[in-house]
Amino acid sequence: MAKRSFTDPQITLQHGAGGEATRQLVEGLFAPAFANDTLAAMEDAAALNADGLRLAFTTDTFVVHPRNFPGGCLGSLAVHGTLNDLAVSGADPIGLSAAFVLEAGLDTSELRAQTEAMAEAARKAGVPIVTGDTKVVEHGSVDGLYINTSGVGVIRPSADLGPNRVRPGDAVLVSGPIGDHGVTILISRGEIELEADLKTDSRSVLPLTSALLDQLGSGVRWMRDATRGGVATVLNELVGGRPFGVVLEEQEIPVRDPVRGCCELLGLDPLHVANEGQFVAIVAGDRADEAIRALRNVEGGSDARIIGVVTDEHPARVVGRTSFGAKRVIDVLVGDPLPRIC
Amino acid sequence: MKFMDEYRDGETVHRLSREISQLADQNRTYRIMEICGGHTHSIFRFGLSQILPGNIELIHGPGCPVCVLPMGRMDEGLAMAERDGLIFTAFGDMMRVPGTTGTPLDAKARGADIRMVYSPLDALETARRNLDRPVLFFAIGFETTAPSTAVTLMKAKELGVTNFFVFCNHVLVNPAIRALLESDDMRLDAFIGPGHVSTVIGCKPYEFIAEEFQRPLVVSGFEPVDILQSIVMILRQMNAGVAKIENQYGRAVSWDGNTAARKALDRVFETRSTFMWRGLGGIPNSAYAIREEFAEFDAEKQIGVRGRSFPDPALAQCGEVLKGVKKPVECSLFGTVCKPENPVGALMVSSEGACAAQYRYSDATTVLRK
């Protein structure tokens, strides 16, 4: 993909939505300014070499609104998000940081509840929060509470992950039903009068990625958590500018009925909806069944599914095949998913 | 999922596709226009053109309200949005529609108070919660969404709200079809009739298409099975040499439509003598204006617009695509200069526009050729 310099005169919300606009900002403004070999890999976590020890290092800032939603909250999300970036890099996390931007006037009880949710999520994953920072800004200059977390992990010696390891014939798998988080948040905002029996999928995927790496070793080629922009966006990022593409079998993609229903009503594609506890992995084609068995043996992995294959038929393209065999291009999302009117 | 899975069933789709192949006469082409953007979206999303015989050409019509809105109207709306204290509300699709000075999202980034609503009633509710500020609803859509605007205005009057305004851009489907049928380079054989619009207006208003122009029209649902079944019905008519209005979408559409909705439309709106359509130009009697009785809510009268109009970009061939003279990929701007993230022409604006749908969903080979 051609790298263009960033020319938009202003930052809009679309630049933060994780789709094409975000990509243009990152590749056109940040990447050229900070240019170095480690950054150039553009993975969720950077791979650093410390005297022969391979470390994964990542950071993420969480600004979700509302801060509490069915199945989770800002605090638990902030821990899971960073753990997951390390997990899909093939790393065992060893420590997290927590930095807070607080709006003057925030209730202490809320801050305490969010902090406890962070502590609980970190405890459950067995990863300590080892450093932090606090800033308080004037009332009105931020929306209550923003949390940044960073994380460091040791990359497993057996993990050999990267887009360059992906080849035609490999299988594409997803760890479970997609779209739960994005649709839950959309409904929690209260702007749409919809009710659905849904909660966020926010969780640490570490037990799943570990099981996969334990079983397949270098048979796992590439992993990515499918957060903003959804499965469609991470797969497009994988194939962009590369000599291979991906074909997804649309009826194999696991989507819960409430998510399907909401997406149909609002004109959204579940493939573009955010997840906070699901990842996409590319594994060697002849070991796909083994991978699914390994995931299904872990708690929370019972819905893992092979959803497609890597192909050299249409390089750089993600294509979906419908139940009656017709094909369509699955593109990245431009900006935020906006509901259609009719 | 009920009302969905049975209409996407692979076996039924294949059976209908075989039936279409048998009905289609090899010695001729069938140019069928789906008027409604919802159908266009389904056709691309499910790759339906790929399972039709090569001599059936689906032409994507002007039924995407976002696409046919002229830039000047967007500019007027945004000029209002940037007035001090005003809250601008609109449907989600409008947020990325460009005027000459950018989109509502750009205006929001510059500090305008722009809010997405799911219904005009939500916009009225916003007005009632912000009594000290004017609240504008940018109304858009065919006869599908117009009744909800009408009901909202009736409610605003009943409640005596004084800070709520509607910028009315509602358009009418049949004058646009007539304009297409009367144009010199028209090459259409039949129509897949809009589903949602017809829930309101029914099937009767389409009769002129069969009587004056001898073209069949079948009102259709939006799922793959619906659309294929409508094509079967069209081919049967054409093979028999007749032209009638038929209803495939009986589970939602009645012959007479929704009388209560039509009454609300009559009460609140009158027809404009002419209205500009992006890609098609001025079309007589093709849009609604707010009646005098509701003038206190009419943004055009109360807030004031300058009536600026901007021609469509010269190189964009939206009109030819709409009339079926050209395919989206045959436009020189398609996929190069004109893309969904930076639309030049009308049809690239919304995901229901023919070009955006083609760009986003078309079969891999079409896109790869570009």
Side-chain angles (χ1 to χ4, degrees):
Chain A
M1 228 171 271
K3 301 271 193 303
R4 281 166 297 178
S5 133
F6 184 75
T7 53
D8 296 2
Q10 264 176 336
I11 298 305
T12 71
L13 287 170
Q14 289 195 64
H15 292 116
E20 178 65 17
T22 306
R23 192 183 66 81
Q24 286 172 8
L25 172 64
V26 171
E27 291 184 1
L29 195 148
F30 295 128
F34 302 144
N36 60 67
D37 292 347
T38 308
L39 180 66
M42 285 287 183
E43 288 297 325
D44 275 359
L48 298 172
N49 199 323
D51 274 345
L53 187 63
R54 289 197 303 155
L55 295 177
F57 177 42
T58 189
T59 189
D60 209 335
T61 303
F62 296 83
V63 298
V64 66
H65 174 85
R67 290 190 290 273
N68 296 291
F69 41 84
C73 64
L74 175 66
S76 56
L77 198 64
V79 169
H80 292 150
T82 291
L83 286 175
N84 290 347
D85 282 346
L86 295 173
V88 296
S89 307
D92 290 321
I94 55 174
L96 297 178
S97 72
F100 298 87
V101 179
L102 311 175
E103 181 188 17
L106 177 71
D107 283 340
T108 306
S109 59
E110 157 135 43
L111 180 60
R112 180 171 288 123
Q114 297 289 352
T115 308
E116 278 165 5
M118 292 179 77
E120 172 61 23
R123 204 160 37 236
K124 202 170 164 203
V127 182
I129 295 174
V130 292
T131 183
D133 178 51
T134 311
K135 295 283 183 291
V136 180
V137 297
E138 278 172 27
H139 185 74
S141 50
V142 299
D143 178 17
L145 166 63
Y146 299 156
I147 303 175
N148 170 279
T149 55
S150 298
V152 178
V154 179
I155 299 175
R156 292 168 165 232
S158 65
D160 186 6
L161 302 169
N164 55 329
R165 294 210 54 240
V166 176
R167 58 209 64 177
D170 285 351
V172 182
L173 72 80
V174 65
S175 58
I178 63 168
D180 288 8
H181 179 74
V183 172
T184 302
I185 295 294
L186 204 59
I187 291 175
S188 304
R189 285 183 180 159
E191 293 163 0
I192 323 170
E193 286 186 39
L194 275 180
E195 282 177 30
D197 183 17
L198 262 187
K199 57 190 178 70
T200 175
D201 59 6
S202 174
R203 61 172 174 173
S204 161
V205 299
L206 198 56
L208 298 166
T209 54
S210 300
L212 204 54
L213 287 166
D214 285 346
Q215 182 67 36
L216 270 74
S218 64
V220 186
R221 316 279 203 210
W222 175 90
M223 294 192 284
R224 184 65 75 87
D225 52 340
T227 54
R228 288 174 316 176
V231 171
T233 300
V234 298
L235 283 174
N236 270 289
E237 283 170 5
L238 169 67
V239 304
R242 301 195 184 269
F244 56 80
V246 161
V247 188
L248 299 181
E249 298 297 335
E250 300 219 21
Q251 77 275 17
E252 295 300 321
I253 299 167
V255 186
R256 287 186 217 280
D257 273 356
V259 173
R260 264 183 92 190
C262 289
C263 286
E264 283 294 326
L265 277 176
L266 298 171
L268 305 175
D269 188 336
L271 286 167
H272 283 145
V273 178
N275 309 277
E276 288 292 344
Q278 305 298 355
F279 64 97
V280 181
I282 308 285
V283 300
D286 56 358
R287 304 190 68 185
D289 294 337
E290 201 185 328
I292 292 298
R293 278 199 302 277
L295 287 173
R296 289 187 177 168
N297 278 332
V298 183
E299 192 191 336
S302 58
D303 293 325
R305 199 92 70 90
I306 300 292
I307 58 169
V309 291
V310 177
T311 174
D312 53 9
E313 277 175 29
H314 40 76
R317 285 272 170 197
V318 179
V319 166
R321 188 152 57 194
T322 65
S323 58
F324 39 90
K327 288 182 176 177
R328 64 165 172 132
V329 171
I330 296 170
D331 210 339
V332 296
L333 185 66
V334 182
D336 259 322
L338 299 175
R340 293 187 294 131
I341 56 171
C342 65
Chain B
M1 198 170 287
K2 199 159 160 44
F3 292 122
M4 200 162 97
D5 292 334
E6 63 268 44
Y7 295 101
R8 295 181 185 178
D9 173 58
E11 219 166 279
T12 317
V13 166
H14 283 303
R15 185 176 56 72
L16 286 165
S17 150
R18 278 194 303 274
E19 193 174 350
I20 289 170
S21 296
Q22 284 158 11
L23 285 169
D25 176 355
Q26 291 306 310
N27 299 313
R28 59 158 303 175
T29 52
Y30 299 84
R31 293 194 187 87
I32 303 173
M33 169 174 279
E34 84 282 357
I35 296 153
C36 172
H39 287 139
T40 305
H41 190 84
S42 283
I43 286 164
F44 283 105
R45 176 175 169 199
F46 296 104
L48 295 183
S49 307
Q50 297 164 46
I51 56 171
L52 294 177
N55 57 334
I56 295 186
E57 197 183 314
L58 294 179
I59 291 150
H60 318 302
C64 160
V66 169
C67 300
V68 297
L69 181 78
M71 271 188 154
R73 299 291 287 186
M74 192 74 238
D75 284 348
E76 301 290 7
L78 289 178
M80 293 184 213
E82 300 201 20
R83 289 160 71 115
D84 269 353
L86 186 134
I87 302 174
F88 174 103
T89 62
F91 292 136
D93 323 38
M94 294 298 300
M95 293 296 161
R96 268 192 292 269
V97 179
T100 51
T101 57
T103 67
L105 281 180
D106 296 329
K108 187 175 180 168
R110 289 194 295 267
D113 191 344
I114 303 231
R115 304 186 191 181
M116 185 167 72
V117 290
Y118 296 87
S119 147
L121 285 167
D122 295 345
L124 178 60
E125 192 50 39
T126 304
R128 298 185 66 205
R129 274 195 239 125
N130 295 276
L131 290 170
D132 53 334
R133 299 175 63 187
V135 173
L136 175 79
F137 176 65
F138 194 118
I140 187 170
F142 284 88
E143 291 93 329
T144 324
T145 52
S148 62
T149 304
V151 166
T152 303
L153 285 173
M154 283 156 63
K155 189 161 180 204
K157 198 168 180 72
E158 184 190 314
L159 294 168
V161 178
T162 56
N163 62 327
F164 179 65
F165 305 95
V166 169
F167 184 32
C168 181
N169 292 283
H170 286 297
V171 286
L172 303 171
V173 72
N174 278 319
I177 299 178
R178 178 178 284 279
L180 285 172
L181 285 167
E182 285 174 349
S183 78
D184 295 337
D185 46 1
M186 200 280 295
R187 307 197 313 160
L188 305 171
D189 296 316
F191 294 92
I192 295 172
H196 295 147
V197 164
S198 307
T199 60
V200 175
I201 67 171
C203 302
K204 217 174 152 36
Y206 302 116
E207 280 174 342
F208 75 97
I209 299 168
E211 286 163 11
E212 283 179 51
F213 297 94
Q214 292 76 49
R215 298 289 193 282
L217 178 145
V218 177
V219 171
S220 174
F222 293 88
E223 297 296 334
V225 165
D226 291 319
I227 294 171
L228 294 175
Q229 207 165 53
S230 300
I231 294 173
V232 167
M233 292 163 79
I234 286 170
L235 294 184
R236 285 200 180 127
Q237 285 197 42
M238 290 178 68
N239 287 352
V242 295
K244 320 182 271 198
I245 308 307
E246 290 185 294
N247 183 11
Q248 182 275 337
Y249 201 22
R251 65 186 188 277
V253 173
S254 70
W255 191 258
D256 293 318
N258 180 334
T259 344
R262 285 211 315 276
K263 242 167 119 177
L265 291 177
D266 283 345
R267 163 119 197 261
V268 174
F269 297 121
E270 60 195 9
T271 309
R272 292 177 199 262
S273 59
T274 185
F275 194 74
M276 281 295 288
W277 291 53
R278 215 173 155 175
L280 291 175
I283 302 179
N285 308 314
S286 65
Y288 280 138
I290 297 172
R291 280 189 195 278
E292 197 52 42
E293 189 193 340
F294 293 88
E296 61 198 283
F297 306 109
D298 188 344
E300 288 176 66
K301 291 183 179 135
Q302 304 303 331
I303 302 183
V305 289
R306 275 157 290 173
R308 289 180 301 182
S309 95
F310 292 91
D312 292 331
L315 285 170
Q317 293 167 303
C318 309
E320 283 85 347
V321 173
L322 281 176
K323 286 183 248 173
V325 180
K326 279 210 156 91
K327 293 180 183 172
V329 286
E330 289 166 359
C331 173
S332 61
L333 303 186
F334 179 85
T336 52
V337 181
C338 187
K339 290 180 171 192
E341 63 264 34
N342 188 18
V344 179
L347 301 174
M348 196 58 97
V349 173
S350 150
S351 64
E352 294 186 352
C355 295
Q358 174 108 48
Y359 184 86
R360 207 158 276 301
Y361 284 133
S362 68
D363 60 301
T365 49
T366 319
V367 170
L368 290 172
R369 270 205 303 272
K370 277 306 271 199

